[in-house]
Amino acid sequence: MRRYLLMTITLAAALALASLAAPAEPLPSWNEGQTKRAIVDFVKRVTTTGGADFVPLPERIAVFDNDGTLWAEKPMYVQLVFALDRVKALAPAHPQWKDKQPFKAALEGDFKTVAAGGEHALVELIMATHAGMTTDAFAQVVKDWLATAKHPRFNRPYTDLVYQPMLELLAYLRANGFKTFIVSGGGIEFMRPWTEKVYGIPPEQVVGSSIKTRFELRDGTPVLVRLPEINFVDDKAGKPVGIQMHIGRRPIAAFGNSDGDLQMIQWTTAGPGARFGLIVHHTDADREYAYDLQSSVGRLDKALDEAKRQGWTVMDMKQDWKRIFP
Amino acid sequence: MRRYLLMTITLAAALALASLAAPAEPLPSWNEGQTKRAIVDFVKRVTTTGGADFVPLPERIAVFDNDGTLWAEKPMYVQLVFALDRVKALAPAHPQWKDKQPFKAALEGDFKTVAAGGEHALVELIMATHAGMTTDAFAQVVKDWLATAKHPRFNRPYTDLVYQPMLELLAYLRANGFKTFIVSGGGIEFMRPWTEKVYGIPPEQVVGSSIKTRFELRDGTPVLVRLPEINFVDDKAGKPVGIQMHIGRRPIAAFGNSDGDLQMIQWTTAGPGARFGLIVHHTDADREYAYDLQSSVGRLDKALDEAKRQGWTVMDMKQDWKRIFP
């Protein structure tokens, strides 16, 4: 009996070792080719103990843009759809919006006029819909909206329209000791309510744009109130600043898809030792969208030039991905 | 041979299991008593699967003030000593400082005049010594200074004057699945170069005050330049704001020692479920320092009152700690 028990434990140990030795093939939704090879080679180099490019565990930091890199950003940034829906939901309490831009245009679904208002109009919409409540209340509003809103083309919840190959990439990096962060131009508190469930990325590993908050005691209960004042814009040259502020050390791998990610990838790849920069190039109008130089959302121009100059990996969605969404 | 091998593996497995089953007694530098019992009871409650107070792993967030909670803050904040030493080191390049306050006083070691200048003088000293260089250069300056500077009373490097019982507490919490963060009024970039080595807290888990930075390409090389402009003050009502900004969810345990930590502990303990707040009361003039109500550095007044009202644990350094420093 005792011997049987010992052998059972031994067998269990052997199986455990075997599962360590032969993990499932990584990145199943990625086609074989240059891009997948570049990713796997980089991970092997930085995780090979004793190798020239070995990187200790705590320094294995990978940063990912969100819109257009981890989930779809077309035809409109999801957060902008949210803001426009919120304008509609809040309109009964703001009768003056019917005659006031950019709210009038937002209520009429006239996105051209909203867009024509530029950054100023956008900020007005964001402040009217994202501020003036506690952080807890805002998180609930985001969750409630995501539970019902659907993408106009794919007719699925937005959190379904994350890229399956990127989910596998996040998991593959984490299995190799990486800490994965989001570094997005989008609102930090718009992402945090769902990134842990959808991407496996906890709130403390989300970097994004933000408005200011203020601590208050309301009837003795502490709250954080969201104020209609910009705190930080985590885009373009702001991304390395956001990385330093939140992470405090330079990543070794960065993944983006637009000119907004240029400086993040420059900052990441300029460090010493092995570095990896990747651009997601949207080339698949049939399964998703095709856009780059001329696009108003997710414009990819300077970063594509720089990728060629610097030898960053440029991923081709049509060629490199077997499937797009889960 | 084969059987011998099997038995060896089995023995190893058995030993591994035994070491899991009987961990070393936690918190060896803490005396038995109410404080230690309160800590251990809390940790047991939130880690007992199926228990009423069980907290899932990702939500086990603990935040620690730094100055006076994790390391000594007397007779002067270490970062202020650093700033004054930097004024001396930089003085040859700034001959005008000899006749200009607060630099004149700093150079003459006249701390009373520096202190009389209040926050304005302090900010001037910080900007003159902490800005105008890249983030990488500043981190190196901090490391170099800490390698040689010594505490005037204990004649040891400042990073030796961390509290041994708190090092054990950090390790104990982490062994129980907690993620440990620093939330300090001190400069975030003054702490990050050494917190990982000294506390086991990586840079991305350090929250603190900051100045602004700007991304630049210098001869094609990306740098982050530290600017003489305040970005965020992570003290008092700023601490819950800093927690939300960096961590994005409410901690379940908070450890502080002064009125600067009041709102952080309020915010932490006001959440639902099991919560823990602890105040380090400096009561040991022989082995460290004794101060509270009247102290200019680390004043503990309102937070002590609130601790009594709210039932937070008030630790007594003299009674609760077997030893102070490692």
Side-chain angles (χ1 to χ4, degrees), chain A:
Chain A
M1 183 59 200
R2 184 189 166 92
R3 186 158 160 204
Y4 174 74
L5 193 72
L6 287 180
M7 292 203 45
T8 308
I9 294 177
T10 310
L11 186 64
L15 286 172
L17 286 170
S19 78
L20 281 175
E25 190 61 30
L27 309 177
S29 299
W30 293 69
N31 286 315
E32 298 305 320
Q34 213 177 326
T35 304
K36 181 171 175 176
R37 216 156 42 232
I39 295 170
V40 173
D41 284 355
F42 170 75
V43 170
K44 284 205 174 130
R45 280 162 60 210
V46 299
T47 56
T48 301
T49 317
D53 290 326
F54 177 75
V55 174
L57 270 176
E59 291 166 31
R60 291 185 205 158
I61 303 282
V63 288
F64 289 80
D65 169 57
N66 185 43
D67 295 305
T69 298
L70 294 180
W71 77 350
E73 63 183 348
K74 290 274 186 182
M76 209 187 283
Y77 291 126
V78 181
Q79 193 177 356
L80 184 54
V81 183
F82 166 76
L84 296 172
D85 279 359
R86 289 301 296 160
V87 169
K88 282 177 203 154
L90 296 168
H94 301 270
Q96 73 281 17
W97 284 356
K98 272 185 295 193
D99 308 304
K100 198 186 163 195
Q101 296 296 10
F103 302 99
K104 182 171 183 289
L107 289 169
E108 291 165 353
D110 172 8
F111 306 132
K112 214 173 146 185
T113 302
V114 171
E119 200 181 301
H120 178 74
L122 198 68
V123 168
E124 265 204 281
L125 290 177
I126 292 288
M127 292 313 172
T129 53
H130 288 58
M133 69 203 89
T134 68
T135 48
D136 287 349
F138 182 71
Q140 195 56 52
V141 168
V142 171
K143 277 187 212 164
D144 291 347
W145 182 79
L146 282 172
T148 56
K150 290 199 172 166
H151 190 279
R153 172 173 161 196
F154 298 108
N155 197 32
R156 296 172 66 177
Y158 289 99
T159 46
D160 275 13
L161 300 175
V162 296
Y163 304 131
Q164 173 64 24
M166 296 307 270
L167 296 182
E168 294 167 8
L169 177 56
L170 287 167
Y172 173 60
L173 289 173
R174 289 195 290 257
N176 281 282
F178 279 78
K179 218 165 173 175
T180 52
F181 287 78
I182 289 173
V183 178
S184 168
I188 192 166
E189 300 298 359
F190 180 71
M191 297 181 281
R192 281 171 161 167
W194 53 273
T195 56
E196 188 157 34
K197 197 175 151 199
V198 174
Y199 300 136
I201 296 181
E204 64 268 26
Q205 286 164 222
V206 178
V207 181
S209 298
S210 56
I211 57 178
K212 289 195 189 291
T213 63
R214 184 178 59 220
F215 177 84
E216 276 180 22
L217 286 178
R218 289 190 174 171
D219 297 327
T221 300
V223 293
L224 286 168
V225 183
R226 292 169 58 78
L227 307 176
E229 191 184 340
I230 288 175
N231 177 58
F232 180 64
V233 179
D234 190 55
D235 198 25
K236 299 191 174 74
K239 288 205 173 189
V241 172
I243 286 170
Q244 182 62 30
M245 188 156 57
H246 286 259
I247 309 177
R249 67 176 136 208
R250 205 190 291 238
I252 63 167
F255 303 82
N257 78 299
S258 80
D259 287 357
D261 305 312
L262 171 61
Q263 291 87 346
M264 170 174 88
I265 306 178
Q266 285 178 319
W267 175 244
T268 299
T269 56
R275 301 279 155 168
F276 193 76
L278 182 145
I279 300 267
V280 174
H281 193 181
H282 291 260
T283 51
D284 198 331
D286 292 335
R287 294 186 300 170
E288 203 242 9
Y289 297 95
Y291 58 98
D292 43 39
L293 305 187
Q294 304 300 326
S295 183
S296 60
V297 169
R299 179 196 181 95
L300 175 62
D301 180 356
K302 288 180 203 166
L304 201 55
D305 287 347
E306 185 75 357
K308 285 170 195 156
R309 265 198 302 277
Q310 301 287 348
W312 302 338
T313 299
V314 179
M315 198 209 86
D316 182 316
M317 189 178 271
K318 197 167 185 170
Q319 283 190 12
D320 286 323
W321 284 358
K322 276 186 199 147
R323 55 191 296 183
I324 310 286
F325 304 121

Side-chain angles (χ1 to χ4, degrees), chain B residues 285-296:
Chain B
D286 292 335
R287 295 186 300 170
E288 203 242 9
Y289 297 94
Y291 57 98
D292 43 39
L293 305 185
Q294 304 301 324
S295 184
S296 60

Side-chain angles (χ1 to χ4, degrees), chain B residues 55-181:
Chain B
V55 174
L57 269 178
E59 290 165 32
R60 292 185 205 158
I61 303 282
V63 288
F64 289 79
D65 169 57
N66 185 44
D67 295 305
T69 299
L70 294 179
W71 77 349
E73 63 183 346
K74 291 272 186 179
M76 209 188 281
Y77 292 126
V78 181
Q79 193 176 356
L80 184 53
V81 183
F82 166 77
L84 295 172
D85 278 0
R86 288 301 297 160
V87 168
K88 284 178 199 152
L90 297 168
H94 301 269
Q96 75 280 15
W97 285 355
K98 272 185 297 192
D99 309 305
K100 198 186 163 193
Q101 294 298 11
F103 303 99
K104 183 170 181 290
L107 289 170
E108 291 164 355
D110 172 8
F111 307 132
K112 214 175 144 183
T113 302
V114 171
E119 198 181 303
H120 178 76
L122 198 69
V123 169
E124 264 204 280
L125 289 177
I126 293 289
M127 293 312 174
T129 55
H130 287 59
M133 68 203 90
T134 67
T135 48
D136 286 350
F138 182 71
Q140 194 57 52
V141 167
V142 172
K143 276 186 212 165
D144 291 348
W145 181 80
L146 282 172
T148 58
K150 291 198 173 166
H151 190 278
R153 173 174 162 196
F154 298 108
N155 197 33
R156 296 172 66 178
Y158 288 100
T159 46
D160 275 12
L161 300 175
V162 296
Y163 303 131
Q164 174 63 26
M166 296 307 270
L167 296 181
E168 294 166 8
L169 177 55
L170 287 167
Y172 173 61
L173 289 173
R174 289 194 291 256
N176 281 283
F178 279 78
K179 218 165 174 175
T180 52
F181 287 79

